[in-house]
Each structure stands twice: as C-alpha cells, then as structure tokens.
Amino acid sequence: MKRIVVGITGASGTIYGLRLLEALKATPDVETHLVMSKWAKENLAVEHTGYTLKQVNQLADVVYDERDMGATIASGSFMHDGMVIVPASMKTVASIATGLGDTLIGRAADVTLKERRPLLLVPRESPFNQIHLENMLKLSKMGVEIIPPIPAFYNNPETIDDLINHNTMKLLDHLHIANDFGGRWQGLNQAKAALKDRDRG
C-alpha cells in the first residue's frame, strides 16, 4: 500500500487539493495522510468548494492538526511514498526553503526532504516576485518537483473541472500512481480528429 501525505495551505485554489484527495481515495491501495492549514479551512467556504471540513476529512485515511508537531508525519521514521502540498502558499514555500518547520506541513516537508522522498509543490501565486522564484529554484535544486497549476489546452478542455483534472493527472503521474485522469496528448492527428468530432456534435 502506498502512503501519500497531502498538505493544503491557504493559497487560492483549494479545489486542487480536494480533487487530488478525491482521486487518491478512489485509487486502490493508497493511504492518505492530510494536514490543512487554518487558512485552507477558511478557503473551503470563501472559494465555494461545496465541501464542509468534515467532508474533506472523510476523503483522507488520517487527518492531523497543523499544530500537532508530535504527529507521526513529523518524524523521518514515518515511511511514506511522497508528499504533495497543493496549493502551496508562498509563505509555506519560504518556510520549507529555509527549513523553518514551524507548522506540521512545514515540518513534514522538511523530513520528506531529509529522507530524500518525493516532495511535490503546487505553487499558487501570480505574478511571482524574485523571492518566490529564488525559493522555488532552491527547492528544485534539492529535488523538489514544482508543478504549478498551469492549464493545458491541447486536450480542448470544456469546463473548469477539465482544467483541474489535468493538473491532478500530473500530480498522480509524479507520485507514480497509474491514472487516466486528465486527457493525455495522443498526437496531432488524433487531436484534430477529436476537435472535428466535437464541432460536428
């Protein structure tokens, strides 16, 4: 069974974290460990996700309070197969880049790094300033995968859900979890044929 740690911070785009949790829950043999920051919880209502906190917690196998620095995921001895912070606020990115570890999300990311396990960040900010970019470059050089939620249009998305699913597919791919979640590139000829079929409809 794979163990995946998911951190959801207060950056805009809470739905990206929720969609990943939905996908992981629907995947056999995956155990999900969830931490949400205070402002991530606020965003559940602000961004009209349609989820209550109770419903979000039910998507995970284990849920932690962000202040619980004694949690199992705060230790490198806790074995897991990767951590995703989605969305990742610039405060969280800075905390990880400097090794601050002042919240459970930051501490869990720190031990993920020191144990050389996969760490994926989905930064949600625009535009990036030089500090943001330097922090992400520093982390990238350490092996962190920076996967911003940039939409793709080659698969002709028709809804916001299509755009969210495409990003979720990328995260699952980088966690080495088989999926067919977001419309993969099938080559130019097939893309043109699919577009013609849609126009005829």
Side-chain angles (χ1 to χ4, degrees):
M1 175 172 284
K2 280 183 176 281
R3 282 176 168 174
I4 304 298
V5 179
V6 177
I8 302 179
T9 73
S12 182
T14 307
I15 188 62
Y16 289 107
L18 302 182
R19 189 59 47 82
L20 177 63
L21 289 173
E22 291 171 348
L24 292 173
K25 187 173 181 63
T27 303
D29 300 324
V30 173
E31 180 181 282
T32 307
H33 293 251
L34 172 66
V35 192
M36 293 183 71
S37 74
K38 171 187 174 182
W39 290 107
K41 294 173 183 178
E42 292 287 342
N43 279 347
L44 283 177
V46 172
E47 297 187 343
H48 302 288
T49 62
Y51 271 93
T52 64
L53 181 58
K54 181 179 179 180
Q55 290 170 326
V56 174
N57 289 343
Q58 288 172 344
L59 293 174
D61 295 289
V62 186
V63 180
Y64 306 91
D65 189 290
E66 70 167 337
R67 298 163 296 180
D68 183 8
M69 301 303 283
T72 54
I73 60 171
S75 171
S77 65
F78 176 78
M79 300 297 293
H80 66 77
D81 298 281
M83 179 175 183
V84 187
I85 303 178
V86 51
S89 69
M90 291 301 103
K91 178 182 178 181
T92 299
V93 171
S95 172
I96 298 167
T98 56
L100 187 59
D102 59 337
T103 66
L104 182 55
I105 292 176
R107 172 59 185 168
D110 189 69
V111 298
T112 297
L113 281 173
K114 78 181 182 70
E115 300 298 332
R116 299 186 183 277
R117 298 182 185 129
L119 177 59
L120 284 59
L121 299 183
V122 182
R124 245 300 302 134
E125 186 60 88
S126 182
F128 294 122
N129 67 31
Q130 185 174 341
I131 297 171
H132 304 154
L133 294 167
E134 287 177 351
N135 285 335
M136 287 188 285
L137 178 60
K138 179 179 179 180
L139 291 170
S140 179
K141 288 179 176 178
M142 296 171 66
V144 176
E145 297 182 69
I146 309 296
I147 307 175
I150 297 172
F153 295 96
Y154 58 75
N155 55 352
N156 298 299
E158 297 182 4
T159 66
I160 292 175
D161 270 351
D162 291 339
L163 300 176
I164 296 166
N165 288 342
H166 184 81
N167 185 258
T168 302
M169 177 187 75
K170 285 185 171 294
L171 298 178
L172 294 172
D173 286 350
H174 284 261
L175 291 169
H176 307 291
I177 295 175
N179 72 95
D180 188 19
F181 213 74
R184 299 181 184 278
W185 177 247
Q186 301 293 328
L188 186 58
N189 290 337
Q190 287 196 21
K192 288 180 177 178
L195 189 58
K196 284 182 180 178
D197 288 342
R198 192 181 78 173
D199 289 344
R200 289 194 196 101

